[in-house]
Amino acid sequence: MDSTPVNWEALDALIIDFVSSENLIEEAGANSSPSPLSSPSSSSPPSISSSSYHARLIIRRIRNSIESGDIDTAIDILRSHAPFVLDDHRILFRLQKQKFIELLRKGTHEDRVAAIACLRTSVAPCALDAYPEAYEEFKHILLALIYDENDQTSPVANEWAEKRRYEMAGMMSSVLRASLQAYDPVFSMTLRYLISIHKGFCFHQGISSTVSDLTHRLLLEERDAPATPPESMYEVPPFDEVDIQALAHAVELTRQGAVDSMKFAKGDLFQAFQNELCRMQLDVSVLDELVKEYCIYRGIVDSEMQMILVPAKRNQSEVGHSLSRDCSSEIDLNTSQYSDVENDSNNSMLDGAIINDTEMSSKQGGDIGTRHGSEPTSGCEDCSTSWSNQCENTRALLRIRSHMNSEGNKRKRWRGRADEIDCLSDLSFPKSSSGLNPVKDKYELAIAMKELVSRGMAAEAVYEISTMDPDFFTQNPALLFHLKQVEFLKLVSAGDHDGALKVARSHLRPLADNNQSLEKPLKETLVVLLQPDGNTLGKDLPLNDLANTLQVSVGKRLGIKEPQLMKIIKATLHSHTEWFKLQMCKDRFNNLLRIDCLKEVSTNLIGAIKSRSNKDSNTNLSSQVTTTSSSTMTSEDGGSSSLMTQTQTSPREALWEESAIVKVMEFLALPRSDAIQLLSQYNGNAEDVIQQLFG
């Protein structure tokens, strides 16, 4: 199965919001309030604060209490933190029934006496005004007094079953989440949604999933029981059928299930959607493992083993104390070998220090030997130019951190969930006998290369990579081209056209000569010299996608496996795109879950710059057009016609009215794509389709 390019910065933002909201990392300050992403807004978003995290903790405690059969504790927590829930006698009656069963389950004489007292003082009074069937349920549960728990043929076998605990716990979680506005972080809901669509797409297309092992472990088949709609909502005006169908097909509900969900959400489609997503159960331990692996890979959190990183402001004597005896004498923090393209474009780096494709092999023996020939090699069996050379890796890391004026390691520390033991054993980093950490160094190198490029220091990245692996850019010429492209643009921005042309002649042209796909980007790059605003193009370059691509490529070269979460996101985003092509409509919940941001990727540097420039120049015009058009267009939240907006990519879909599509979906309980196909057979007439199938 194909995968879709991912905007890793957007995913980073979702992940950081998730780990902060769930308190999985140690924050630098005392205030660790979740970010505003923590609850995607519906029509009236609640205010977000640390109370959302505490509310989720309360819900987990109540859930755990009910699942373990401790109903008294659950009721006590409810009285302390959500007493309004117990005002609903339907809920209170179910809790008291379960308490009666749990007292009987203990089996002692004292508990049986307490169970009968519970019937007399709690269950019976609640049964009188809970709901019409409650009194019959009360009389039925009395049979538990004479039928044993292990009698599977008894009329109260279901009441004795422990699954009733989980049903009750799930229902209470659903009620409390909506009542306390304690929704899971956006990333958690986005992941549920994407995996659900991925599974449906693979089943519909009859194809196997490349990430099925992960998705089956992560997203469980079970769902929490739905919350019961308020009694006041039993008589409500009918909801728009487009809303009902959008919800039903988004989270795999029956039509009646979607109607009930809309009732509980008081007609708010987006709140109903969030409620249903949170009913889907994720294996939290698996999720935490995947997130932690991703965070370490991306440099969001530090690993368990602390890396040897030296701040730039420390002197050489301090460096010696931080490093092992084997490599401390080899460290050279001199950064003069880098070119400063912004201040000295004629630096010797442009003439020869940056090694291009044809020069790399010849430089392997001589250039590195000249730089480090006088340095001792005590404790290093092999100090050749290789990713596996621990001494060279450590030197490179120190040079990079020093050049970026690093203030030390500011990454957060993974703390995990307070009530769970972190079990990510496969990501622990063993120390070598010399005291260095070669596995961690590799992670740090890949992250450092990403950071260099994201800060515009492409020349430094090229130098360090070529130093440690002269063959890297021979196998990745397109990456070298784009890095040199960045250097070219920065020189143009600095007004050094001669230096830029030198880079183009020495590096860009030879690379394009050997790769036809680079000819067009080369021409587009050279055109920048002729543009009047060329001096501004090199500023604030959109470098994140290039930096991420370099990190992945360097990581593969270092033997670092791609995080499993990356595989899931790429596969599920691809399925999401293909699924809505089949449905011939846009995803109504795309923006709500930031899926649109995850797909915003630009692999063409010049194109991205032009696009940004065009957006800036057209801002005023766009606002005028929007203002003029607003009176004739229906807003996304204001009208039903936009709830399932047809795309303009297929001429066939434009033939049928939206009302006809929805009508066939409703009457035949069909997915949108199947409804459109049927309408195609009957010239778009919904009545003919229904009559033919039911006639």
Side-chain angles (χ1 to χ4, degrees):
M1 178 180 291
D2 295 331
S3 61
T4 295
V6 179
N7 183 334
W8 296 118
E9 267 60 41
L11 182 58
D12 285 352
L14 287 172
I15 292 290
I16 292 170
D17 169 71
F18 172 79
V19 296
S20 300
S21 299
E22 292 290 83
N23 205 23
L24 295 174
I25 56 176
E26 297 284 2
E27 297 287 352
N31 184 9
S32 59
S33 299
S35 71
L37 275 175
S38 295
S39 179
S41 62
S42 55
S43 57
S44 55
S47 59
I48 303 303
S49 67
S50 59
S51 62
S52 179
Y53 170 69
H54 295 303
R56 292 197 299 275
L57 285 183
I58 290 168
I59 294 172
R60 288 171 193 163
R61 286 185 59 198
I62 293 171
R63 184 184 197 116
N64 292 338
S65 298
I66 295 174
E67 289 179 350
S68 63
D70 190 356
I71 308 301
D72 274 337
T73 297
I75 292 176
D76 288 343
I77 297 172
L78 284 168
R79 285 198 178 109
S80 299
H81 299 282
F84 57 88
V85 173
L86 298 177
D87 292 338
D88 189 334
H89 285 197
R90 299 170 303 170
I91 293 175
L92 183 59
F93 174 65
R94 292 189 176 103
L95 285 170
Q96 297 292 3
K97 275 201 311 177
Q98 192 64 36
K99 177 181 176 181
F100 165 70
I101 290 292
E102 298 303 337
L103 288 170
L104 287 182
R105 200 191 304 276
K106 293 180 180 178
T108 66
H109 173 72
E110 291 79 5
D111 290 315
R112 179 172 287 269
V113 171
I116 294 173
C118 176
L119 278 175
R120 184 182 301 112
T121 61
S122 300
V123 183
C126 284
L128 295 176
D129 58 358
Y131 45 88
E133 303 84 4
Y135 192 68
E136 288 301 319
E137 292 180 14
F138 164 70
K139 290 188 293 183
H140 178 75
I141 205 172
L142 293 176
L143 296 174
L145 291 168
I146 57 175
Y147 283 95
D148 188 72
E149 175 184 3
N150 298 321
D151 186 354
Q152 299 301 315
T153 62
S154 77
V156 285
N158 287 335
E159 280 70 15
W160 276 114
E162 289 194 3
K163 71 175 183 179
R164 295 299 288 266
R165 292 177 174 177
Y166 296 94
E167 292 172 356
M168 171 64 70
M171 186 271 290
M172 288 301 304
S173 297
S174 297
V175 170
L176 289 167
R177 260 194 308 267
S179 301
L180 300 176
Q181 293 288 288
Y183 294 109
D184 293 336
V186 180
F187 173 70
S188 179
M189 289 191 279
T190 302
L191 196 59
R192 289 176 171 100
Y193 184 56
L194 288 175
I195 291 176
S196 177
I197 288 178
H198 176 75
K199 288 183 175 181
F201 174 75
C202 291
F203 177 79
H204 186 272
Q205 297 298 98
I207 58 179
S208 59
S209 168
T210 58
V211 292
S212 58
D213 289 344
L214 291 170
T215 55
H216 282 101
R217 287 172 53 208
L218 186 55
L219 184 64
L220 308 179
E221 295 295 330
E222 298 83 5
R223 295 192 186 192
D224 289 343
T228 306
E231 292 179 340
S232 60
M233 293 295 292
Y234 281 120
E235 297 295 333
V236 294
F239 302 114
D240 194 305
E241 188 61 36
V242 178
D243 284 8
I244 295 172
Q245 292 298 324
L247 181 62
H249 290 282
V251 288
E252 298 179 307
L253 294 176
T254 63
R255 183 182 182 280
Q256 187 57 49
V259 170
D260 289 342
S261 184
M262 290 286 288
K263 285 181 179 179
F264 181 73
K266 300 179 181 179
D268 188 327
L269 173 65
F270 295 109
Q271 184 173 333
F273 177 68
Q274 292 179 77
N275 291 340
E276 295 302 323
L277 279 182
C278 290
R279 283 181 54 212
M280 299 179 184
Q281 294 186 25
L282 288 171
D283 187 318
V284 176
S285 62
V286 175
L287 176 60
D288 287 354
E289 287 182 17
L290 294 172
V291 169
K292 182 179 180 183
E293 181 190 28
Y294 179 87
C295 286
I296 292 174
Y297 182 90
R298 295 286 292 170
I300 296 171
V301 302
D302 207 349
S303 64
E304 290 85 351
M305 303 292 291
Q306 292 300 314
M307 176 55 204
I308 302 169
L309 292 178
V310 182
K313 295 181 180 179
R314 295 171 63 180
N315 58 38
Q316 287 284 27
S317 63
E318 291 176 306
V319 173
H321 294 296
S322 299
L323 299 170
S324 70
R325 290 180 303 169
D326 294 337
C327 287
S328 61
S329 59
E330 301 179 51
I331 304 303
D332 178 11
L333 292 182
N334 180 15
T335 60
S336 62
Q337 66 266 39
Y338 296 131
S339 68
D340 188 350
V341 293
E342 293 182 354
N343 300 320
D344 186 6
S345 60
N346 294 318
N347 192 289
S348 60
M349 187 72 169
L350 294 176
D351 295 325
I354 300 178
I355 306 171
N356 65 18
D357 290 347
T358 57
E359 293 173 323
M360 285 181 191
S361 300
S362 62
K363 287 279 185 181
Q364 182 172 0
D367 201 303
I368 304 304
T370 302
R371 286 182 56 240
H372 303 300
S374 61
E375 296 173 351
T377 58
S378 163
C380 295
E381 296 179 1
D382 178 17
C383 278
S384 63
T385 56
S386 169
W387 292 111
S388 61
N389 182 353
Q390 177 59 29
C391 299
E392 179 57 42
N393 291 355
T394 304
R395 283 193 295 267
L397 280 171
L398 291 171
R399 285 195 304 268
I400 293 168
R401 296 300 182 191
S402 177
H403 194 77
M404 291 192 298
N405 295 320
S406 172
E407 297 178 2
N409 189 358
K410 288 186 174 181
R411 293 189 196 126
K412 301 296 187 293
R413 187 181 72 84
W414 184 272
R415 65 182 293 274
R417 298 182 188 273
D419 56 345
E420 295 176 5
I421 299 176
D422 185 77
C423 56
L424 199 58
S425 57
D426 58 330
L427 278 179
S428 61
F429 297 99
K431 277 190 175 181
S432 65
S433 58
S434 66
L436 295 173
N437 188 352
V439 178
K440 176 65 187 299
D441 275 4
K442 291 182 178 181
Y443 275 80
E444 290 293 335
L445 275 172
I447 294 169
M449 296 306 169
K450 173 178 75 78
E451 291 177 355
L452 278 176
V453 175
S454 64
R455 299 186 186 196
M457 292 186 252
E460 291 81 350
V462 171
Y463 176 83
E464 292 298 345
I465 292 173
S466 300
T467 298
M468 289 179 287
D469 186 355
D471 294 328
F472 178 83
F473 287 118
T474 303
Q475 300 180 22
N476 297 276
L479 261 178
L480 180 60
F481 179 90
H482 292 306
L483 290 169
K484 290 296 179 183
Q485 198 178 30
V486 172
E487 187 177 346
F488 175 92
L489 291 172
K490 292 192 71 176
L491 288 170
V492 172
S493 178
D496 186 359
H497 288 199
D498 290 339
L501 287 172
K502 185 182 293 186
V503 171
R505 284 193 298 267
S506 302
H507 303 287
L508 297 180
R509 188 191 68 187
L511 289 167
D513 288 343
N514 295 325
N515 189 337
Q516 291 185 351
S517 65
L518 298 177
E519 290 182 3
K520 182 179 178 181
L522 174 60
K523 295 175 183 177
E524 293 175 342
T525 304
L526 293 174
V527 168
V528 173
L529 288 169
L530 309 178
Q531 295 180 357
D533 59 346
N535 289 351
T536 63
L537 289 178
K539 299 176 181 178
D540 300 323
L541 292 171
L543 298 174
N544 286 333
D545 293 328
L546 176 59
N548 295 330
T549 302
L550 181 65
Q551 181 192 6
V552 172
S553 298
V554 169
K556 289 180 179 178
R557 191 76 168 176
L558 288 165
I560 300 174
K561 292 183 178 179
E562 181 183 46
Q564 297 180 95
L565 187 59
M566 278 188 168
K567 298 177 182 178
I568 294 174
I569 295 298
K570 287 194 287 189
T572 55
L573 280 180
H574 173 75
S575 298
H576 179 272
T577 299
E578 297 302 313
W579 178 249
F580 281 95
K581 286 181 182 177
L582 289 175
Q583 302 306 309
M584 300 182 187
C585 68
K586 296 178 182 178
D587 183 1
R588 179 64 196 276
F589 309 105
N590 199 47
N591 296 343
L592 185 74
L593 298 178
R594 279 60 169 185
I595 295 173
D596 53 340
C597 297
L598 291 174
K599 293 182 180 180
E600 289 178 356
V601 179
S602 175
T603 57
N604 186 326
L605 185 61
I606 301 297
I609 295 172
K610 291 180 178 178
S611 176
R612 184 182 62 184
S613 177
N614 290 338
K615 286 182 180 179
D616 293 341
S617 62
N618 291 333
T619 299
N620 293 334
L621 178 60
S622 297
S623 61
Q624 293 173 6
V625 172
T626 303
T627 304
T628 305
S629 314
S630 60
S631 60
T632 60
M633 295 178 64
T634 305
S635 67
E636 183 175 273
D637 294 331
S640 63
S641 62
S642 66
L643 293 178
M644 283 185 145
T645 307
Q646 293 187 359
T647 62
Q648 301 301 318
T649 57
S650 172
R652 181 180 64 176
E653 63 176 301
L655 296 174
W656 321 130
E657 294 182 358
E658 183 69 18
S659 58
I661 298 173
V662 173
K663 189 171 186 177
V664 173
M665 290 172 66
E666 174 189 358
F667 276 86
L668 303 182
L670 290 175
R672 183 182 177 86
S673 57
D674 293 345
I676 292 175
Q677 289 178 6
L678 280 176
L679 286 168
S680 300
Q681 299 175 24
Y682 293 91
N683 200 30
N685 192 312
E687 285 75 14
D688 288 350
V689 172
I690 297 170
Q691 184 177 1
Q692 182 66 26
L693 294 179
F694 285 98

